[in-house]
Amino acid sequence: MKIPKDYHSALKNENEINKKLNFYSKGKSTVLSHDVNNIDGIPEIFNKADIIYSEPAWNNGYELFKKRANIKNPIGFKNYLKSIEKTIRILNKPSFIIGGKHMIKIISPDYSLPIKFNGFDAYLFIWNYEKVNFKNNIDLLEYLSKNYNTVLDFCCGYGHYFEKFKNFIASDLNKKCVYFVAKKYLNYEDTIS
């Protein structure tokens, strides 16, 4: 299995995107610029999601993603994971996070299981949901999209799986990713200024 074409990965070069966007909403889907580390709290719109699914940065890619977004905050990877866990605990929704084994000691899921993620070994961290067993992220996304209407992804990147869901609430610290998602999945049209 290979990494999807429009996938914001530290393993690939960034897509050539020259525009940025802070917020766009259409129908029941929304994309916005938000840093999960934001100490000011969680956007109210996050509460409209049925579930949380996210593929956040791994340790080796975290600083690169901040650099791409031109974010200069001093928050390190451990605190980033703690912010993700805090968001999940506050929202108290079924939550599915894909990550590396190195994250297990920092993030405290209800349980975790090994999974194939785009063909690579990874772990699925789960909160607020009964025991499940998925072999790969594709099967997991199929299951989630059939059983839930609105997914929240607070580290959405290019939103490579959003077409599977009826609705999504997506955020990323990189405003270029927000623009990309709005254009590709919500038919955002640039206005002439």
Side-chain angles (χ1 to χ4, degrees):
M1 192 179 299
K2 64 178 187 172
I3 297 174
K5 179 183 173 223
D6 288 325
Y7 188 78
H8 196 223
S9 168
L11 302 176
K12 294 173 58 175
N13 289 332
E14 191 173 26
N15 283 13
E16 187 67 37
I17 302 168
N18 297 317
K19 296 186 179 182
K20 297 177 182 179
L21 189 64
N22 284 319
F23 178 93
Y24 188 70
S25 187
K26 184 175 183 181
K28 293 182 178 180
S29 292
T30 299
V31 61
L32 66 143
S33 173
H34 174 73
D35 184 345
V36 75
N37 293 310
N38 188 333
I39 59 171
D40 294 331
I42 298 168
E44 184 63 32
I45 197 162
F46 282 12
N47 289 300
K48 293 185 177 185
D50 301 318
I51 59 161
I52 298 168
Y53 173 85
S54 192
E55 302 164 0
W58 292 30
N59 191 27
N60 292 341
Y62 180 66
E63 291 300 323
L64 175 63
F65 286 122
K66 286 189 348 185
K67 182 179 177 183
R68 286 179 180 176
N70 199 24
I71 301 294
K72 303 206 181 344
N73 70 29
I75 294 173
F77 184 71
K78 182 177 180 179
N79 287 332
Y80 165 71
L81 290 181
K82 288 295 184 188
S83 295
I84 288 171
E85 182 182 7
K86 180 180 177 185
T87 300
I88 289 168
R89 300 260 184 228
I90 290 170
L91 293 174
N92 197 32
K93 297 178 183 294
S95 302
F96 305 84
I97 305 295
I98 302 273
K101 188 174 185 177
H102 63 283
M103 297 177 180
I104 293 173
K105 292 178 184 173
I106 302 167
I107 203 165
S108 300
D110 294 340
Y111 69 98
S112 62
L113 56 104
I115 194 168
K116 288 289 184 184
F117 174 56
N118 298 326
F120 299 100
D121 290 335
Y123 279 82
L124 174 60
F125 308 119
I126 301 172
W127 292 261
N128 306 314
Y129 205 76
E130 72 258 5
K131 295 266 184 182
V132 293
N133 192 13
F134 294 97
K135 293 184 175 158
N136 60 60
N137 61 312
I138 304 303
D139 292 344
L140 171 62
L141 286 167
E142 285 298 320
Y143 172 81
L144 295 177
S145 65
K146 286 180 184 170
N147 290 287
Y148 296 95
N149 289 320
T150 306
V151 62
L152 165 63
D153 188 342
F154 39 67
C155 304
C156 73
Y158 299 146
H160 69 95
Y161 65 89
F162 287 156
E163 73 278 348
K164 294 181 182 303
F165 285 87
K166 293 179 186 103
N167 309 297
F168 61 83
I169 298 165
S171 71
D172 201 281
L173 57 85
N174 190 331
K175 294 176 184 180
K176 290 179 182 180
C177 292
V178 173
Y179 177 83
F180 183 91
V181 169
K183 282 292 271 188
K184 181 166 184 174
Y185 298 105
L186 300 177
N187 300 313
Y188 171 76
E189 294 183 22
D190 296 310
T191 55
I192 301 171
S193 28

